[in-house]
Amino acid sequence: MPKQKSDPVVPVSANAPASTVVVDFSQYLVSRSPPPDEPPIDQYYKRARAILVENGATWCTDWHRQLFVVHLVGLAEVYARNVLATLVRICPGTERTALRKQLSLGSVGYYSTGDHAFGILDHQALSGCAEICRATAQIADFDIKQNSSAYAALEGFDRVCQLRHAIVHQCGGLAPHNLLEFNGLTLPDKPVDVSVSQLRMQDLVAVVHSAVRALNQFILDQTLRRWVRMGLVSVWANDRDRFEAICRLLISKEDCPTTTAESLYTAVGGTIV
């Protein structure tokens, strides 16, 4: 029987030796401030404006502007998550749908009683058209149809998310599967990177704003239609709290300062006595 050879020792370094690093990751955590008392869409506006205006001087390089794209997509994700999870507390039909979903034991202990719906979306990214459509159906049972204006706006958001994906996962390099998501774009014959000029950055803001507005309007329309079908528009004294809650959740004080719960109620056929 031939003698078995031992593994050879290769005394060649490929790089500097790895070091043992002990990090106390609790030092990277800070308690979250309570959310402001304003609709999620207005929170989105305020945060997007803050990083644009207050940090405007820092967007002097392409690298900084790429970071802005990442943050902007994140703000849209936070918006969608806040609206869908909060809708569970307000809409009986949405609550009925969400009750069928499972929660992890960790999320039950982490979120307060009224916020358990956030746990349904814990493991689901919302950085794309398909993901948002899936979450909207999963939480609220609302179908964003492909021939709708909401879907068209979310498709635009999806293309911004392709840029964000390349920036985060490939240091700005665009792979063919990313490029194919840009309908009508001819694949280049050489590898390409993301480049965001100051002017183009404003275009991306407009695309993401449009998606947030379209989704916000879609959810309001579908919720009000559901309430009418469910017979939840009957007596103002009984319906007032629900309509005031949906107004606080979905009516932008910045865009529609004169819209009230009463005007929503009368718009769907309710009578205020």
Side-chain angles (χ1 to χ4, degrees):
M1 178 180 295
K3 185 178 180 181
Q4 189 172 6
K5 295 182 179 180
S6 60
D7 291 338
V9 177
V10 182
V12 178
S13 296
N15 46 258
S19 58
T20 301
V21 182
V22 179
V23 177
D24 179 4
F25 282 96
S26 67
Q27 301 301 310
Y28 294 83
L29 310 180
V30 62
S31 296
R32 182 183 300 168
S33 302
D37 184 21
E38 57 187 1
I41 189 171
D42 286 346
Q43 295 177 37
Y44 163 82
Y45 285 154
K46 183 179 293 184
R47 290 167 176 167
R49 188 179 301 117
I51 58 175
L52 265 174
V53 177
E54 295 176 10
N55 301 306
T58 66
W59 308 123
C60 55
T61 69
D62 190 70
W63 181 77
H64 285 99
R65 291 189 290 271
Q66 289 186 32
L67 293 183
F68 170 79
V69 173
V70 174
H71 197 84
L72 184 65
V73 170
L75 292 180
E77 286 195 73
V78 168
Y79 155 79
R81 204 176 298 274
N82 285 345
V83 164
L84 291 172
T86 306
L87 189 65
V88 175
R89 296 201 306 259
I90 298 172
C91 176
T94 301
E95 181 185 34
R96 188 178 305 166
T97 299
L99 284 174
R100 300 187 181 97
K101 307 306 175 185
Q102 295 181 351
L103 293 175
S104 67
L105 187 60
S107 66
V108 171
Y110 182 78
Y111 296 107
S112 60
T113 302
D115 291 333
H116 281 156
F118 281 92
I120 300 174
L121 298 171
D122 267 351
H123 303 290
Q124 186 168 336
L126 298 177
S127 55
C129 177
E131 289 81 0
I132 290 179
C133 290
R134 188 181 307 116
T136 304
Q138 179 184 16
I139 297 288
D141 197 24
F142 293 152
D143 180 20
I144 304 178
K145 298 186 182 301
Q146 292 190 10
N147 61 350
S148 67
S149 58
Y151 191 90
L154 288 172
E155 280 191 312
F157 174 67
D158 194 78
R159 294 177 187 117
V160 179
C161 291
Q162 296 300 325
L163 298 180
R164 173 256 181 200
H165 185 276
I167 293 166
V168 172
H169 299 292
Q170 299 175 124
C171 293
L174 280 159
H177 72 274
N178 299 125
L179 292 166
L180 288 171
E181 296 300 324
F182 297 93
N183 293 341
L185 182 67
T186 302
L187 284 178
D189 55 3
K190 295 180 180 179
V192 294
D193 291 334
V194 175
S195 179
V196 185
S197 69
Q198 290 191 351
L199 179 61
R200 297 307 177 206
M201 188 170 75
Q202 298 293 334
D203 291 340
L204 297 183
V205 172
V207 170
V208 179
H209 274 28
S210 179
V212 169
R213 288 168 176 158
L215 181 61
N216 199 72
Q217 186 67 53
F218 172 83
I219 292 176
L220 176 65
D221 292 345
Q222 295 299 311
T223 300
L224 293 178
R225 288 191 177 99
R226 169 177 282 169
W227 288 358
V228 171
R229 291 195 304 269
M230 294 178 67
L232 298 178
V233 181
S234 55
V235 180
W236 172 244
N238 298 334
D239 303 336
R240 178 173 183 168
D241 288 348
R242 187 180 299 113
F243 273 80
E244 287 181 343
I246 201 68
C247 192
R248 288 192 299 270
L249 178 65
L250 294 172
I251 302 299
S252 167
K253 296 177 182 178
E254 182 173 324
D255 292 336
C256 306
T258 61
T259 301
T260 63
E262 290 88 344
S263 63
L264 283 182
Y265 196 68
T266 57
V268 297
T271 303
I272 299 175
V273 179

